[in-house]
Amino acid sequence: MEIKTDDKSRKSSKSFPTGYTRFEKARIIGARALQIAMGAPVLIKTDRTNPIEIAMEEFNKGVIPITVRRRRDRFIWLEDKGLL
Amino acid sequence: MDIKEIEKELKKYPFPESVRRDIREELAKLDLNKKSLKKIIDRCYEEYLSNLMEPGEAAGIIAAQSIGEPGTQMTMRTFHYAGVAEINVTLGLPRLIEIMDVRKTPSTPIMTIRLQDDYSNDRKLAREVANRIEATYITDLADISVDITGMKIILFLDEKVMERKQVDKDELVKKLSKSLKVDVEEKDGKLYLSPKEPSYRKLLQTVEKMKDIVIKGIKEIRRVIIRKEEGEYVLYTEGSNLKKVMRVKGVDYRRTTTNNILEIAEVLGIEAARNAIIKEALDTLEEQGLNVDVRHIMLVADMMTNDGEVKQVGRHGVAGEKVSVLSRAAFEVTVNHLLEAAIRGDTDNLSGVTENVIVGQAIKLGTGDVELISKLGGRSK
């Protein structure tokens, strides 16, 4: 079972976690930084040269084409308990 | 704004009960209109969410560290006298270890017995209940001497103690003759016991046997101390037998507890045992002036009780949990574990942290537990 992981939809819903967790954020930036370091085209205009910094800037702008899959059986969702 | 309205608004949010109570109390003090009430609760909810633990967090390790670090500051051996009542209680690290190990009986079993309404305010009635609970032996009530020529045991009864302990003489006579199978004769405050079979050996055996008879009270309860606490008499006992004490007349069984966790599990069930673990662990830590968040202890208590019986947590983790060969091998006696596993032809599912570190894989924790997928469709902004 998959859940919508689009950042915008998650912020409006009351389910937890609302945004990316810090682990997810680190993982996404890490993966993107690796791509950039290996020569992938950068998606933003920037003066930075450090791939990690570029990845972070891309993340903050929300242009990284990567997201996470969350499985229902891995997390406890507050909505599932009929609390909302 | 009345409480009902606040409650109605709060119910829309999935707060835990304790948080909801705190917010409700605070809100009741303020005079708010509906709009600002909503705003405040909304803000509270935001704050609550930001304080929740994120999925992927190593909750167990944080709990272990949060209990372990203050644990190093605990005094190694402390024997403490609980308040004025001179009951000896194991506290500090030994007690904490005891709780985690789930010993069959704690080294100092103690019960806190509260009394029913009409008993709790009357010292005399409280004393009566205490007498019903405390184990009384013949040596408490009488001096024993043996008359060898007459083949008799003579008991010099102490009337004062008899009265204080509320032991009836006729009852005592009945009890002795029944459980020892002797003839009992009474003459001016003395009891003469003569075994049916006149032999010197039998006589001495009877004396020994007599010393073990519990005349009154519950065998396990060695001592009862009455204390006045918050306007009511409370009984503290040395020794514990929850099942029997709860049945004693005058005891308020709802407010009576013991520090023996296994006994609570047996009598009151596993949920009660979980609460007992939390309470006991927290109390021992707090007594030493250490503040550990309940939630860490709750996690441990949950792990110890989640399959319906109390399991111990030792250095091998929670007992009875299936441990992988590799993680066992990483801990102690590496070669033996590997050899035995090889002989048996064991498999390892690489489900734990240690195993994955050994194999060189990402562990299923934190960053390692995130599954990436590509987000197609280009820019979202």
Side-chain angles (χ1 to χ4, degrees):
Chain A
M1 230 181 298
E2 233 179 281
I3 192 146
K4 256 200 190 165
T5 45
D6 179 30
D7 223 1
K8 236 193 242 162
S9 76
R10 225 179 304 134
K11 232 166 225 161
S12 62
S13 89
K14 275 181 183 175
S15 71
F16 176 81
T18 41
Y20 286 124
T21 68
R22 63 180 199 275
F23 307 114
E24 289 163 347
K25 186 178 165 186
R27 187 75 176 78
I28 291 168
I29 292 173
R32 180 63 189 154
L34 189 65
Q35 290 181 345
I36 294 168
M38 293 200 294
V42 177
L43 299 169
I44 49 165
K45 263 213 154 68
T46 179
D47 297 333
R48 296 175 203 275
T49 49
N50 184 339
I52 290 177
E53 282 175 14
I54 297 170
M56 281 203 273
E57 209 177 322
E58 281 187 353
F59 182 84
N60 290 334
K61 290 206 166 119
V63 294
I64 299 180
I66 297 171
T67 187
V68 294
R69 171 186 281 159
R70 286 175 176 173
R71 292 178 189 276
R72 289 233 159 207
D73 55 353
R74 290 266 189 83
F75 298 100
I76 296 163
W77 300 88
L78 289 175
E79 351 164 74
D80 279 355
K81 299 191 153 180
L83 292 162
L84 277 169
Chain B
M1 185 157 268
D2 65 315
I3 300 276
K4 258 190 191 157
E5 200 125 356
I6 294 171
E7 189 57 32
K8 205 182 126 201
E9 204 59 42
L10 274 172
K11 274 265 144 65
K12 292 179 187 166
Y13 295 84
F15 287 117
E17 201 43 60
S18 62
V19 177
R20 186 174 297 161
R21 196 188 332 114
D22 287 352
I23 298 175
R24 192 199 303 127
E25 266 167 32
E26 284 302 316
L27 285 175
K29 288 182 203 158
L30 306 166
D31 190 37
L32 296 163
N33 58 32
K34 202 158 186 175
K35 211 176 151 195
S36 42
L37 176 80
K38 241 188 167 143
K39 239 181 187 166
I40 291 174
I41 297 177
D42 232 39
R43 185 73 191 79
C44 287
Y45 186 60
E46 222 174 275
E47 194 59 31
Y48 166 67
L49 284 186
S50 69
N51 275 294
L52 279 180
M53 201 169 247
E54 289 174 334
E57 187 82 71
I61 286 182
I62 293 175
Q65 290 175 342
S66 304
I67 297 170
E69 195 277 334
T72 61
Q73 295 175 36
M74 287 214 280
T75 333
M76 285 297 285
R77 297 228 159 249
T78 17
F79 290 98
H80 193 266
Y81 294 101
V84 256
E86 48 294 335
I87 293 183
N88 205 349
V89 204
T90 318
L91 283 170
L93 206 56
R95 177 63 188 145
L96 201 63
I97 292 168
E98 220 169 71
I99 296 165
M100 297 306 163
D101 278 357
V102 201
R103 304 260 171 81
K104 261 166 238 106
T105 41
S107 55
T108 49
I110 280 168
M111 291 190 77
T112 309
I113 303 166
R114 279 169 219 279
L115 305 174
Q116 275 163 11
D117 279 347
D118 28 337
Y119 289 85
S120 59
N121 293 314
D122 190 326
R123 187 162 186 105
K124 240 179 102 188
L125 286 172
R127 182 78 242 170
E128 251 175 53
V129 179
N131 282 331
R132 279 199 279 271
I133 292 167
E134 190 172 39
T136 307
Y137 293 93
I138 193 73
T139 41
D140 301 328
L141 303 171
D143 288 324
I144 306 166
S145 75
V146 184
D147 175 14
I148 301 168
T149 46
M151 278 297 166
K152 272 179 182 144
I153 305 164
I154 309 164
L155 298 178
F156 300 90
L157 296 177
D158 190 332
E159 300 282 346
K160 255 195 204 155
V161 181
M162 292 270 284
E163 202 183 310
R164 188 158 55 83
K165 299 240 177 195
Q166 288 156 320
V167 180
D168 189 59
K169 205 185 274 176
D170 294 335
E171 245 172 68
L172 176 65
V173 171
K174 228 165 123 192
K175 181 127 198 173
L176 286 177
S177 62
K178 210 177 147 194
S179 49
L180 290 173
K181 298 190 182 75
V182 289
D183 295 321
V184 186
E185 233 181 301
E186 196 202 329
K187 217 155 99 198
D188 38 82
K190 290 176 209 156
L191 292 184
Y192 296 91
L193 281 70
S194 40
K196 286 180 175 139
E197 171 196 330
S199 91
Y200 180 62
R201 233 175 65 118
K202 186 88 191 166
L203 196 69
L204 291 184
Q205 270 174 6
T206 312
V207 174
E208 288 311 311
K209 216 171 142 193
M210 185 171 61
K211 281 180 184 167
D212 289 335
I213 298 172
V214 179
I215 310 276
K216 202 178 176 186
I218 296 156
K219 196 178 128 213
E220 286 83 1
I221 314 291
R222 289 182 296 276
R223 211 149 62 96
V224 179
I225 280 156
I226 306 173
R227 264 168 77 188
K228 189 149 194 173
E229 234 168 53
E230 287 153 29
E232 64 168 340
Y233 288 103
V234 182
L235 308 185
Y236 289 89
T237 68
E238 219 169 89
S240 153
N241 188 335
L242 189 62
K243 213 179 197 164
K244 280 187 184 155
V245 167
M246 278 168 83
R247 280 208 207 109
V248 173
K249 199 179 147 215
V251 170
D252 187 349
Y253 55 86
R254 288 183 205 86
R255 301 187 295 145
T256 292
T257 60
T258 167
N259 67 354
N260 187 344
I261 288 158
L262 273 180
E263 208 175 303
I264 291 183
E266 196 184 304
V267 179
L268 299 170
I270 195 73
E271 288 281 346
R274 172 185 174 266
N275 284 327
I277 292 171
I278 295 169
K279 187 186 161 284
E280 289 293 327
L282 207 64
D283 283 355
T284 12
L285 286 163
E286 251 162 30
E287 193 271 337
Q288 303 258 312
L290 305 168
N291 284 312
V292 176
D293 197 288
V294 238
R295 287 169 284 185
H296 298 309
I297 296 162
M298 278 161 81
L299 181 70
V300 176
D302 281 339
M303 287 310 296
M304 287 169 76
T305 54
N306 67 9
D307 70 351
E309 57 183 307
V310 189
K311 290 176 297 185
Q312 63 151 308
V313 276
R315 54 204 197 106
H316 298 279
V318 181
E321 219 153 77
K322 203 175 70 191
V323 209
S324 103
V325 182
L326 287 178
S327 86
R328 265 185 288 128
F331 182 53
E332 265 172 4
V333 277
T334 314
V335 178
N336 288 3
H337 280 307
L338 292 178
L339 187 67
E340 270 163 42
I343 292 167
R344 279 196 304 267
D346 285 350
T347 39
D348 197 315
N349 295 320
L350 302 182
S351 51
V353 173
T354 328
E355 300 95 283
N356 283 299
V357 171
I358 292 170
V359 201
Q361 276 180 353
I363 57 172
K364 287 268 164 275
L365 249 187
T367 322
D369 199 25
V370 179
E371 203 177 327
L372 293 181
I373 51 167
S374 72
K375 185 164 73 180
L376 297 174
R379 294 154 198 247
S380 64
K381 244 183 226 174

